[in-house]
Amino acid sequence: MSSSRIGETLQVLERRRRIRQLFAVAMLAVVLAATYFGLDFIGFDPKELWAQVPQEIEFIKSFVPPNFVDFTIYTEQNNITGLKAIPASFRNFGQPIIESLTSDSASLVRLSMVTIILGFTGTVLGFPLALFFGVLGSEQVTPFPFNFVFRGAMSAIRAIPALVWILIYVPLAGINEVSAVLAIATDTVGNLGRLFTDELEEIEDGPIEAIQSTGASRPQVIGFGMLSQVSTSYVAWTLYILEINTRIAISLGVVGAGGIGRYIRLRQDLFKYQKAAAGIIMVFVIVISVELLSSRIRARLRPDEHESKSILDAIRDLTDGSKWLGTGSNRP
């Protein structure tokens, strides 16, 4: 290649680089402008907000120190307050904890278990329909455009957050633990089903053709040629959705659906902020424990996920609002 051609090529590449830079600057300007007008539209006033900072600091101070007097029945009956309630609940090989789990008393230990159960049972109940819609939503299984009937159903479900689904189920069960499970199960169908569909679209054709060459029926091709390739990933995605559903269960509790979320809401309404702080700490414990356990299992299941999530990663994920509301693409 001559030096003139090389020079022309370099000039073209330089022009393209400058165009990309100008485009990036223009997009940044559009985003900043949209943010500015958006904040102005909702009445955001930085000066007024800054003036309320001292009051916010005083409000946060009212949560300190956390009071774990409701940690177990034993600590509540014996009025063991503060952090002392935690080691006191492990006396006699954790007998107070066992008694609290088997009692109907609204202790922090029992309410935390209720929250975990809500997320778990909602995931289990939603899994069959998620599998059904997820498989039939794939073009590998259902020809285009009929697969979009199932894709559309999952998109419609995902369009409604779990916090709205529980309101839809109010006439059926009221706002309680039952409606929370139904809301989480419905949300699971849309989110988990979409992940199942996407995973099935990426399978290899070799195993499918091998099964077809044996004269297998269509269900056998789907089961042995398709689902066998994604079974491990399906389990991993289900565990990931379980993490999200545990957060959603806490959010639903805040609106009265039971569990640790309702405990925090009621204590805050009664101005018992130190007890509410104890409930918030239990939220951290629940979410981080479920995430660490799930991520370790997924790290051993998914071939492309070699490292399990660290505790710092789990804490960082607490700021992801989409995982609390059941919105977003739900891709890790």
Side-chain angles (χ1 to χ4, degrees):
M1 182 181 294
S2 64
S3 59
S4 60
R5 292 292 299 276
I6 294 176
E8 292 175 358
T9 303
L10 292 176
Q11 290 177 359
V12 171
L13 293 176
E14 180 65 19
R15 283 197 297 269
R16 290 180 178 177
R17 186 183 66 84
R18 290 179 179 179
I19 292 173
R20 287 195 296 266
Q21 290 178 344
L22 290 174
F23 180 77
V25 172
M27 288 300 299
L28 179 61
V30 170
V31 170
L32 293 177
T35 302
Y36 174 79
F37 289 110
L39 292 175
D40 181 68
F41 183 80
I42 65 175
F44 179 82
D45 188 350
K47 294 181 179 179
E48 181 180 351
L49 191 65
W50 179 256
Q52 300 298 325
V53 169
Q55 297 182 17
E56 179 67 20
I57 294 176
E58 291 299 321
F59 177 69
I60 294 176
K61 286 182 179 179
S62 63
F63 285 81
V64 181
N67 187 359
F68 284 89
V69 65
D70 297 330
F71 191 70
T72 58
I73 299 176
Y74 173 79
T75 57
E76 183 180 1
Q77 292 176 347
N78 293 274
N79 197 29
I80 304 177
T81 61
L83 296 175
K84 296 179 181 179
I86 298 178
S89 299
F90 287 90
R91 63 188 299 271
N92 296 333
F93 302 99
Q95 182 178 356
I97 294 179
I98 298 175
E99 292 177 351
S100 298
L101 290 175
T102 56
S103 172
D104 293 332
S105 177
S107 62
L108 285 172
V109 170
R110 177 177 173 79
L111 294 176
S112 299
M113 180 58 66
V114 169
T115 298
I116 295 174
I117 291 174
L118 291 179
F120 177 80
T121 53
T123 305
V124 172
L125 292 179
F127 176 83
L129 275 178
L131 182 62
F132 178 78
F133 280 90
V135 172
L136 294 182
S138 172
E139 195 171 348
Q140 296 274 10
V141 178
T142 306
F144 176 84
F146 301 105
N147 64 315
F148 271 85
V149 173
F150 304 98
R151 283 179 174 264
M154 291 186 290
S155 297
I157 292 173
R158 289 198 311 276
I160 303 177
L163 284 172
V164 179
W165 276 117
I166 194 172
L167 299 179
I168 295 176
Y169 287 124
V170 165
L172 182 63
I175 298 183
N176 52 33
E177 289 84 353
V178 176
S179 57
V181 169
L182 293 177
I184 294 173
T186 305
D187 194 66
T188 299
V189 174
N191 292 327
L192 186 58
R194 170 60 186 275
L195 296 174
F196 284 170
T197 297
D198 291 346
E199 198 72 37
L200 202 57
E201 295 287 2
E202 300 175 1
I203 60 176
E204 299 179 357
D205 294 331
I208 300 175
E209 295 173 354
I211 296 295
Q212 289 175 337
S213 65
T214 63
S217 62
R218 183 60 177 171
Q220 290 175 329
V221 172
I222 295 173
F224 297 103
M226 299 181 186
L227 295 182
S228 62
Q229 297 187 54
V230 296
S231 58
T232 300
S233 296
Y234 275 20
V235 174
W237 282 125
T238 303
L239 291 171
Y240 177 70
I241 292 296
L242 174 61
E243 297 178 18
I244 298 175
N245 287 346
T246 303
R247 300 171 189 241
I248 296 175
I250 297 170
S251 300
L252 296 180
V254 175
V255 299
I260 198 68
R262 183 164 62 182
Y263 175 90
I264 296 172
R265 175 65 181 273
L266 292 177
R267 296 307 178 275
Q268 188 168 352
D269 290 344
L270 296 173
F271 305 105
K272 297 180 179 179
Y273 297 122
Q274 293 179 338
K275 290 186 177 181
I280 293 173
I281 293 175
M282 291 301 297
V283 167
F284 276 83
V285 174
I286 293 170
V287 173
I288 292 176
S289 299
V290 172
E291 283 213 26
L292 290 178
L293 178 62
S294 173
S295 66
R296 287 184 180 275
I297 297 176
R298 286 189 289 114
R300 288 161 176 76
L301 288 175
R302 293 184 63 87
D304 56 344
E305 191 172 341
H306 301 291
E307 296 182 0
S308 59
K309 183 179 296 183
S310 67
I311 189 169
L312 293 178
D313 292 333
I315 294 175
R316 183 189 60 194
D317 284 349
L318 292 175
T319 61
D320 190 347
S322 64
K323 294 183 179 181
W324 292 90
L325 300 177
T327 59
S329 62
N330 291 320
R331 283 274 179 179

